[in-house]
Amino acid sequence: MAASSKPRVLIIGCTGYIGRFITNASIRLGYPTYLLVRPEVASDVDKAAMVIGFKSAGATLGSVTDEKKLVEALKLVDIVICSIAEKNLNDQVKLIQAIKQVGTIKRFLPSEFGMDPGLMDHAIAPGNKVFMDKMKIRRAIEAAQIPHTYVSANCFAGYFLSGIAQFGRFFPPRDTAVVYGEGNAKVIWVDENDVGTFVLKAAEDPRTLNTSVYIRPPKNILSLNEVLQLWEKKIGKTLEKHTLLEEEFMSMISNEKASLPERAALAHFYQIFYRGDLMFEIGPDGRDTGELYPDVSYTTVDAYLDRYL
């Protein structure tokens, strides 16, 4: 790999949903990029092809087989970004221990990238479990005195904007749309490629050391009603809208016939679209990407929706 003045970045979870975008951003922005993958990735055709693509683009690959291998990998890098799946969050405890042992990591970004768990102690079950798990990891990081940055990326466009928040849909509505409550809660919609860009910028920024970073593209802070209106203008048609009252939505969350992951996802929808939990005044220990990186271009909600015309 060619010499670079940029810090060396290790990404764990490169084949995961958001991990692949972070990895692409790291390579695209010229960071010496190291990837640790599990041996079983080789038996997954799609993930194996993805990893080969990263290697062809310039990433250095390594395999996680034991703690010794992990420590050896950590000694090669400056920054560690973890983007493992929510079900595996507790695996980061061993990673934190290894980072502490090595003692040379300049920044650790744990697997978060959604809503800020530090502000979600009021979250309802079963959606609250992931926030509690992430807070356990935060406490372990801080107890180990590891330099860190927490990143809140709000709503991934692929999950939320592709279907304009129509639960379970990944294409915008053409005839009817559900509106949650009054539909006026402000939501922050973020393209996953932009998540990757902002994560890498925050990872080496001295201003973000030991803080929480909130990805808030100014033009993408829009309510559900505003996004639906934007979509209606694009397709030249007024959608038939159905209001889903809060009590009706709560009954969906409590429906034990639904799977636990579905109920957890519904609980997160509730926090976002009924309670408006994405919008708050950022405190002194937080940073807004809109203020940190005003010159970074990003995909607007308007531009993102054009792909569905």
Side-chain angles (χ1 to χ4, degrees), residues 55-296:
K55 185 177 187 300
S56 298
T60 300
L61 303 184
S63 179
V64 183
T65 55
D66 54 36
E67 184 178 341
K68 181 180 178 182
K69 289 281 189 181
L70 176 59
V71 169
E72 290 175 356
L74 291 172
K75 290 179 179 178
L76 298 174
V77 301
D78 306 296
I79 294 170
V80 178
I81 301 174
C82 189
S83 58
I84 60 176
E86 290 182 352
K87 64 180 181 179
N88 299 324
L89 288 175
N90 289 329
D91 290 354
Q92 293 177 105
V93 172
K94 290 184 179 179
L95 175 58
I96 292 166
Q97 292 169 347
I99 290 173
K100 179 70 172 178
Q101 177 183 336
V102 171
T104 56
I105 298 302
K106 297 177 181 177
R107 196 78 62 94
F108 175 46
L109 281 67
S111 188
E112 293 201 358
F113 311 116
M115 302 167 72
D116 184 349
L119 300 175
M120 295 305 296
D121 54 0
H122 62 280
I124 61 173
N128 60 341
K129 183 180 184 304
V130 68
F131 301 127
M132 292 189 290
D133 288 345
K134 289 179 177 180
M135 286 307 299
K136 290 178 184 177
I137 298 303
R138 284 192 179 189
R139 287 193 288 269
I141 292 168
E142 291 163 15
Q145 297 184 318
I146 293 171
H148 59 270
T149 299
Y150 305 134
V151 178
S152 172
N154 296 294
C155 291
F156 296 154
Y159 283 165
F160 290 88
L161 187 54
S162 59
I164 312 186
Q166 304 301 292
F167 191 82
R169 293 185 55 173
F170 296 96
F171 290 92
R174 289 280 179 169
D175 298 304
T176 64
V178 172
V179 176
Y180 306 109
E182 296 181 354
N184 293 324
K186 290 294 185 179
V187 180
I188 306 169
W189 320 77
V190 188
D191 182 277
E192 288 85 345
N193 290 297
D194 298 326
V195 172
T197 298
F198 286 120
V199 165
L200 267 298
K201 286 192 168 293
E204 67 163 329
D205 191 334
R207 297 172 295 176
T208 65
L209 178 63
N210 297 336
T211 67
S212 293
V213 173
Y214 301 93
I215 301 179
R216 289 184 170 184
K219 293 182 180 180
N220 290 2
I221 303 175
L222 301 169
S223 69
L224 177 56
N225 283 336
E226 289 171 325
V227 177
L228 285 171
Q229 290 167 7
L230 183 60
W231 177 241
E232 288 174 329
K233 184 176 180 180
K234 287 181 180 295
I235 63 175
K237 180 181 180 180
T238 299
L239 300 172
E240 180 182 339
K241 300 179 185 67
H242 301 283
T243 298
L244 190 59
L245 298 176
E246 183 173 346
E247 53 268 29
E248 295 175 301
F249 198 87
M250 290 295 288
S251 68
M252 293 168 61
I253 298 172
S254 60
N255 180 11
E256 295 185 358
K257 293 182 179 179
S259 68
L260 186 60
E262 181 179 350
R263 292 171 58 209
L266 285 167
H268 293 162
F269 257 64
Y270 173 77
Q271 309 292 164
I272 295 167
F273 294 101
Y274 287 94
R275 285 192 55 97
D277 280 338
L278 296 185
M279 291 307 299
F280 49 84
E281 183 177 348
I282 296 175
D285 294 328
R287 300 290 184 272
D288 184 335
T289 57
E291 298 175 359
L292 289 172
Y293 316 113
D295 298 328
V296 173

